[in-house]
Amino acid sequence: KIIPLWVSVSCQKKDFDACIHAHKMAEESHRQDSAYLLIFIMLLTLTILTIWLFKHRRFRFLHETGLAMIYGLLVGVILRFGIHVPQSTSDVVLECAVNASPATLLVNVSGRFYEYTLKGEVSRGKDHQVQDDEMLRKVTFDPEVFFNILLPPIIFHAGYSLKRRHFFRNIGSILTYAFMGTVISSNLLVVVGQLGGDFFFTDCLFFGAIVSATDPVTVLAIFNELKVDVDLYALLFGESVLNDAVAIVLSSSIVAYQPTGDNSHSFEAMAVLKSFGIFLGVFSGSFALGMATGVMTALISFYFTKLRDFPLLETGLFFLMSWSTFLLAEACGMTGVVAVLFCGMTQAHYTYNNLSRDSQDRTKQLFELLNFLAENFIFSYMGLTLFSFQSHVFNPMFIIGAFLAVFLGRAANIYPLSFLLNLGRRNKIGMNFQHVMMFAGLRGAMTFALSIRDTATYARQMMFSTTLLIVFFTVWICGGGTTPMLSIYVTFAISFRVGVDSDQEHSVSN
């Protein structure tokens, strides 16, 4: 076997065998990582082929997101129970009693120091389980991958593809559902935290914030195919987009909630006011940053008119400026989700018209493709995580309470706020619209990403496990039942329209 030159030069004769062994181990690790990534690629490929079959057969009960989760579950079962990695005979297991959990560990071996990074417990059982647990750990992605790689194209596509006319025609109602509704839902979910036993008040607030993030991607896809009423689509789409932004800022500002004393199950008005002030500051700062970068991109495309002669460069610049908005906001201590959302809305309004025809088509298709792949990847990973994650905590009382609070919180959000909004709306939000919006309160990618970002404590592990179950139920049951529900409305002529042209003008709302 040919040894790379840098290995040969750096190795001394006495430890040449050790370098050969290290090189072989690195190659083996590289092959394993490639195989694990291939699993996800094959999952997406299988999902796409099945989606084509469903669309060809006009089967709408199970959406591609629910299908991706099922495939992920099947692969997770195989990895967890069907594949066992043999333990290397050259491995030497040494015991070392460490009371704390350091981030890194320095080991002195014959005068040479080796640094090891702690990545968590790999086995809770016998020694022969170490290799299997290490395999499952490798298929568990770093949570930052979701925030920095997968979430930006999803959120940007939501803002970039927004039908602005219908959105701003219902802006008052959308803001009410997004802001007031999220607060109402999260406050009801705070009570559920008390059922967990080991929850601090901040844990309760955090759980209420992350589970309040709705993601009705399944329902919206069905709405788009059936061409439902444009106002209903705008209300649900706008609420879900801004709701995600509100939930993520709310969850991050909860960290600032620090009551005096031991941070127990306590409520302090000053701490709440401080968190609320941070929430407003982070949200407004992220909003301003997203708008500013969107306008900057528009100005660049306007003044550098000769860039239109090179559509590939123009599209590349547009893509990088959009993605950098998310990273810039995160680096500045703000929220990239809010920034990239409003950056997408701004660029759709200003930058899009300054692009060449080729770049307009390329940018729309590029972000649509990235959104599709990232979204299905996350849902596939959700199914796999149910079996690959090593620290699940399933508390029956907490799970039951969470499910009840999710649906009660959604009801307390939609029906009372719709009643108040109808007092000032010319085009009323009918009860049939309210029922659909209530039914469409799915939890998805954003809730999962927020919950998996921190699973260090017992309370956060319980939140993550419960969140997975909530996502599974809402996507499969609520998402799958949307088409039969709409069919009932249409069959019995319950003032519910489908096949509506999205470009028509028929209502004036607020």
Side-chain angles (χ1 to χ4, degrees):
K1 197 169 189 178
I2 298 177
I3 310 291
L5 181 60
W6 67 271
V7 175
S8 303
V9 173
S10 61
C11 295
Q12 299 180 5
K13 186 175 181 179
K14 61 181 181 180
D15 56 3
F16 185 77
D17 292 340
C19 288
I20 293 292
H21 178 71
H23 182 68
K24 289 182 178 180
M25 293 293 292
E27 285 187 345
E28 180 64 26
S29 178
H30 173 72
R31 284 195 295 268
Q32 290 180 2
D33 292 341
S34 300
Y36 298 145
L37 186 58
L38 179 63
I39 291 174
F40 290 103
I41 301 300
M42 295 304 296
L43 272 175
L44 288 177
T45 304
L46 185 60
T47 302
I48 290 174
L49 292 176
T50 314
I51 290 171
W52 169 81
L53 181 61
F54 279 16
K55 290 183 180 295
H56 182 68
R57 299 294 183 182
R58 299 185 181 276
F59 181 78
R60 292 193 179 100
F61 183 78
L62 185 61
H63 191 255
E64 56 255 32
T65 53
L67 185 67
M69 292 168 62
I70 292 176
Y71 286 148
L73 281 171
L74 295 176
V75 173
V77 171
I78 295 173
L79 291 178
R80 185 66 180 268
F81 304 107
I83 298 178
H84 298 284
V85 179
Q87 186 174 10
S88 175
T89 57
S90 61
D91 291 342
V92 179
V93 179
L94 300 178
E95 294 185 0
C96 178
V98 180
N99 295 326
S101 296
T104 58
L105 188 67
L106 289 177
V107 179
N108 186 352
V109 180
S110 301
R112 292 188 176 184
F113 287 89
Y114 298 88
E115 181 179 347
Y116 294 89
T117 302
L118 179 67
K119 292 188 177 179
E121 186 179 15
V122 297
S123 178
R124 295 185 177 182
K126 299 179 181 179
D127 292 340
H128 69 269
Q129 295 177 341
V130 172
Q131 296 296 322
D132 291 343
D133 291 343
E134 175 67 10
M135 175 191 66
L136 295 175
R137 185 189 65 78
K138 281 193 173 185
V139 297
T140 303
F141 280 81
D142 187 340
E144 293 304 313
V145 171
F146 289 99
F147 272 83
N148 294 328
I149 304 298
L150 298 177
L151 273 185
I154 294 176
I155 303 301
F156 182 85
H157 179 262
Y160 195 60
S161 62
L162 185 68
K163 292 181 174 62
R164 298 182 301 279
R165 180 176 57 195
H166 307 301
F167 176 84
F168 288 107
R169 217 163 41 186
N170 295 276
I171 187 63
S173 301
I174 291 172
L175 291 175
T176 302
Y177 285 127
F179 283 87
M180 294 298 298
T182 304
V183 172
I184 293 173
S185 300
S186 61
N187 285 334
L188 280 177
L189 284 160
V190 165
V191 182
V192 183
Q194 309 297 331
L195 301 174
D198 295 329
F199 273 56
F200 292 128
F201 189 69
T202 51
D203 295 323
C204 302
L205 292 174
F206 183 79
F207 182 70
I210 64 174
V211 184
S212 298
T214 58
D215 184 20
V217 57
T218 304
V219 177
L220 290 176
I222 296 173
F223 282 7
N224 192 43
E225 291 181 7
L226 296 179
K227 298 185 182 300
V228 300
D229 190 283
V230 291
D231 278 338
L232 174 61
Y233 188 95
L235 286 172
L236 190 59
F237 181 76
E239 183 236 352
S240 65
V241 169
L242 293 181
N243 172 280
D244 287 347
V246 172
I248 193 171
V249 178
L250 188 62
S251 63
S252 61
S253 63
I254 284 171
V255 179
Y257 180 89
Q258 293 295 336
T260 57
D262 59 352
N263 191 28
S264 60
H265 299 277
S266 60
F267 172 85
E268 287 190 8
M270 291 303 298
V272 171
L273 290 176
K274 179 183 176 182
S275 298
F276 183 70
I278 293 177
F279 169 82
L280 292 179
V282 172
F283 192 92
S284 58
S286 304
F287 168 79
L289 180 61
M291 295 286 288
T293 53
V295 171
M296 184 183 301
T297 307
L299 292 176
I300 292 175
S301 62
F302 178 76
Y303 285 107
F304 290 89
T305 54
K306 293 185 178 180
L307 194 61
R308 300 180 184 179
D309 298 334
F310 305 95
L312 181 62
L313 300 180
E314 189 180 31
T315 305
L317 180 63
F318 182 92
F319 175 80
L320 294 177
M321 289 290 291
S322 304
W323 204 304
S324 63
T325 303
F326 182 91
L327 300 177
L328 178 61
E330 293 290 330
C332 294
M334 290 180 282
T335 302
V337 171
V338 178
V340 79
L341 170 65
F342 288 100
C343 175
M345 296 173 63
T346 305
Q347 290 189 355
H349 187 66
Y350 296 106
T351 312
Y352 181 80
N353 295 323
N354 293 329
L355 298 175
S356 63
R357 177 64 63 181
D358 289 342
S359 295
Q360 288 179 352
D361 295 337
R362 285 182 179 182
T363 53
K364 291 181 65 174
Q365 294 172 2
L366 173 63
F367 282 102
E368 185 178 6
L369 173 64
L370 291 177
N371 170 73
F372 173 79
L373 293 178
E375 208 157 54
N376 281 278
F377 184 92
I378 290 179
F379 278 95
S380 298
Y381 185 71
M382 286 184 198
L384 188 145
T385 306
L386 185 63
F387 293 96
S388 66
F389 187 66
Q390 298 291 287
S391 303
H392 278 303
V393 176
F394 295 103
N395 186 317
M397 287 296 297
F398 182 78
I399 293 172
I400 294 174
F403 269 88
L404 291 175
V406 163
F407 291 107
L408 290 177
R410 185 66 179 172
N413 170 3
I414 298 299
Y415 295 114
L417 292 181
S418 298
F419 173 78
L420 295 177
L421 290 170
N422 282 335
L423 298 178
R425 282 179 62 101
R426 184 177 305 174
N427 187 40
K428 307 299 182 184
I429 304 175
M431 288 302 297
N432 52 338
F433 278 21
Q434 297 177 36
H435 295 332
V436 173
M437 293 181 68
M438 167 67 191
F439 197 72
L442 314 184
R443 272 61 177 177
M446 182 60 69
T447 301
F448 173 78
L450 289 173
S451 62
I452 198 176
R453 200 173 191 182
D454 182 5
T455 56
T457 64
Y458 175 85
R460 297 298 173 91
Q461 292 167 2
M462 187 187 299
M463 291 182 204
F464 176 64
S465 303
T466 304
T467 298
L468 273 181
L469 298 181
I470 292 175
V471 171
F472 291 159
F473 181 86
T474 55
V475 170
W476 287 336
I477 304 302
C478 297
T482 300
T483 300
M485 183 180 184
L486 297 180
S487 300
I488 293 175
Y489 278 152
V490 175
T491 301
F492 291 94
I494 311 179
S495 64
F496 196 93
R497 301 191 305 162
V498 297
V500 178
D501 184 4
S502 62
D503 293 328
Q504 68 179 350
E505 296 279 353
H506 75 281
S507 63
V508 179
S509 310
N510 54 29

